[in-house]
Amino acid sequence: MSAYLNTLVFGIYPYIALTVLILGTIIRYDREPYSWRSGSSQLLRRKQLIWGSVLFHVGVLVIFAGHVVGLLTPIWIFDALGISHGAKQLLAVVAGGIAGVMGIVGATLLVHRRLFDARVRAASTVSDTMIIILLWLQLLLGLGTIPVSLHHLDGHEMVKFMSWAQGIFTFNFAASSYVAEAAWIFKAHILLGLTILLIFPFTRLVHMLSVPVRYIWRPGYQVARQKGDGSRINGKPAE
């Protein structure tokens, strides 16, 4: 990959993807709040949905947390804790491998259900099908990086990606140079990941941000129904 293309993909494209992610998500929530949902076909082929959904979500959440902590935690913190780059690399391979297998098995069940069940397919949109296939491909690429990582158990390769990710968030314009010599499968994994972030606001993935934490402190209420003609609701005359 030429230096220009490497800078474009890994130095400029990340900012485009993150900008669209943030602004697109805010605009969608403001202008189309009723589209802020995942959509449901849970009454159709329910058993396969449950197994696929649980495996997929658990696997992806573990992978996402691992990527955030592993890539964005400053290197000096790991050094201060006495965690060597090799130990961190091995942990990433083992934990990421297990979570990745869970995720791709779940995603495979969800893709099969969506493509090969006529009723589910009829209830799905092109966007629904496209995003689950892209996520399946991303999981496959992630698993494909494991054999390469096993040849770099000293953790040197991982430090490159940590330096790149942290460089992007600290506006280090030389960040793209850190991954210039990385294996193609890592680059493909990063590129597809950035593309998923780019299209995130326009897909059902936005439901990931709808964690109902407000229900923790929301005051409870009780609906009381009175026998009779229903002329009183909760002790007050109905209007």
Side-chain angles (χ1 to χ4, degrees):
M1 180 179 290
S2 68
Y4 173 79
L5 186 58
N6 186 76
T7 300
L8 178 63
V9 175
F10 302 108
I12 298 174
Y13 187 47
Y15 293 109
I16 297 174
L18 290 171
T19 300
V20 173
L21 168 68
I22 295 170
L23 294 181
T25 300
I26 293 173
I27 293 172
R28 178 173 177 180
Y29 186 76
D30 180 63
R31 303 187 65 174
E32 299 180 22
Y34 293 107
S35 70
W36 196 275
R37 59 187 178 84
S38 64
S40 176
S41 57
Q42 62 182 346
L43 297 179
L44 306 175
R45 210 159 182 167
R46 183 173 175 81
K47 186 175 182 180
Q48 185 174 352
L49 171 64
I50 292 174
W51 276 104
S53 183
V54 169
L55 288 170
F56 173 74
H57 283 88
V58 171
V60 167
L61 287 174
V62 171
I63 292 170
F64 179 76
H67 277 61
V68 170
V69 174
L71 293 175
L72 298 182
T73 301
I75 297 174
W76 65 265
I77 291 181
F78 289 107
D79 293 339
L81 294 174
I83 301 175
S84 68
H85 300 320
K88 183 174 178 293
Q89 177 76 77
L90 186 60
L91 176 62
V93 167
V94 175
I98 294 172
V101 170
M102 289 178 62
I104 201 166
V105 169
T108 300
L109 290 172
L110 295 177
V111 169
H112 177 271
R113 174 179 175 272
R114 193 168 294 279
L115 293 180
F116 294 97
D117 186 296
R119 295 179 302 166
V120 176
R121 189 169 62 248
S124 303
T125 65
V126 173
S127 174
D128 293 340
T129 304
M130 177 193 70
I131 195 61
I132 189 61
I133 291 176
L134 286 179
L135 291 170
W136 186 89
L137 288 173
Q138 181 69 338
L139 288 165
L140 182 65
L141 284 173
L143 289 172
T145 65
I146 292 178
V148 181
S149 296
L150 290 175
H151 288 87
H152 302 279
L153 289 179
D154 59 355
H156 179 68
E157 285 293 299
M158 177 167 286
V159 172
K160 291 181 181 179
F161 300 115
M162 293 174 67
S163 300
W164 169 78
Q166 293 170 32
I168 292 298
F169 281 95
T170 57
F171 300 98
N172 179 353
F173 297 110
S176 61
S177 64
Y178 296 128
V179 296
E181 303 301 324
W184 71 268
I185 195 164
F186 286 110
K187 291 183 177 181
H189 187 55
I190 293 173
L191 177 59
L192 183 53
L194 292 171
T195 302
I196 290 172
L197 292 180
L198 180 77
I199 65 176
F200 180 96
F202 315 107
T203 68
R204 62 189 295 160
L205 291 179
V206 293
H207 80 278
M208 293 170 56
L209 303 178
S210 301
V211 180
V213 293
R214 66 187 181 89
Y215 287 100
I216 297 175
W217 61 77
R218 188 185 72 173
Y221 62 89
Q222 179 179 3
V223 177
R225 181 174 297 172
Q226 181 178 340
K227 292 182 179 180
D229 58 6
S231 61
R232 295 177 68 84
I233 300 177
N234 290 334
K236 297 180 180 180
E239 297 180 358

